[in-house]
Amino acid sequence: MGTDIHAYAEFRNNVGQWEEIPDYKPFSDRDYDVFSFFAGVRFRNDYVGQFVSWGNGGIWTGRRVTPYPIDQPRGLPNDVSPSVKARSDWESDGHSHSWLSVEELTSYNYDKPLRDRNIEAAHVPEEFVNHTVRETLGEGYFQDLAQLQKSKAERIVFWFDS
C-alpha cells in the first residue's frame, strides 16, 4: 500500500477570497521525495533496517538521502477555498494537511546539498554526500513547478492518504 498526495492550486479572486483552480492537480504523481520535501511525509526508506543517522538537510536511509521538509504540516489554511475544504472533509483518511505558497516554492534554494560533508560522511557513499535538493527532486518536480508558475495559482493546499 502506498501514499498519495491530494494537491490543489488556489488563487485569490477579485474580492480577496481563495478559489480552487478547477481541473488542475499539481504534483499529483506518487513521488516520496516530493512528499518528504513538502511535509516530511514518507521519507524514502527503501532499505528498512539500514537507517544510519540524522544529518544536516537530509536523512540517510540505505541508498537514498531525502530532503527535509520546507515546513512541518501546517494544517488547512483558515481561509481555504470551499471546494478544497469539502474534499478534505470528505476524505476521512487524509493526513498531514498543509499548504505552501508558490513564492516559497519558487524562491527555495534547490541547489543546497542535502547533507554536510563533515557530518558522519564516512557512513554515506560519496555520490550522495553533496547530492542537492534539485537532484533529488528531479526533472518532473521542476516541470510541475513551471506549470504551477504559469497558472494563476498563489498556493497549493495538500494532504496525503495511506
Side-chain angles (χ1 to χ4, degrees):
M1 181 170 178
T3 298
D4 291 308
I5 190 169
H6 301 262
Y8 303 92
E10 293 186 325
F11 70 99
R12 287 182 216 242
N13 64 21
N14 57 3
V15 294
Q17 295 174 327
W18 289 96
E19 286 187 35
E20 176 188 0
I21 297 176
D23 303 319
Y24 176 48
K25 303 271 195 228
F27 306 103
S28 59
D29 291 339
R30 181 181 285 177
D31 186 330
Y32 294 155
D33 290 329
V34 173
F35 299 177
S36 170
F37 180 62
F38 280 178
V41 171
R42 285 301 295 249
F43 282 117
R44 189 80 172 217
N45 196 3
D46 293 338
Y47 302 92
V48 176
Q50 294 186 21
F51 180 84
V52 176
S53 67
W54 291 89
N56 280 349
I59 294 177
W60 172 246
T61 56
R63 298 178 190 242
R64 298 283 301 185
V65 178
T66 58
Y68 279 128
I70 290 177
D71 199 355
Q72 295 303 310
R74 302 169 174 171
L76 286 179
N78 292 335
D79 55 0
V80 67
S81 64
S83 60
V84 173
K85 174 75 168 110
R87 283 188 183 91
S88 173
D89 290 347
W90 182 76
E91 296 176 3
S92 63
D93 64 342
H95 62 86
S96 305
H97 294 69
S98 195
W99 61 274
L100 293 167
S101 72
V102 173
E103 170 64 26
E104 286 175 288
L105 294 173
T106 57
S107 66
Y108 188 84
N109 177 10
Y110 292 98
D111 295 317
K112 68 181 182 178
L114 290 177
R115 60 184 291 131
D116 190 308
R117 237 181 225 285
N118 65 6
I119 296 183
E120 300 183 41
H123 297 289
V124 181
E126 187 65 27
E127 67 265 25
F128 293 113
V129 172
N130 283 326
H131 205 68
T132 65
V133 174
R134 179 178 306 280
E135 292 168 318
T136 299
L137 294 176
E139 187 176 321
Y141 171 83
F142 291 98
Q143 290 170 350
D144 283 348
L145 183 57
Q147 182 65 36
L148 186 67
Q149 288 176 277
K150 288 179 187 175
S151 76
K152 57 184 175 180
E154 296 176 60
R155 72 180 177 194
I156 58 169
V157 178
F158 57 90
W159 58 87
F160 304 89
D161 67 37
S162 299

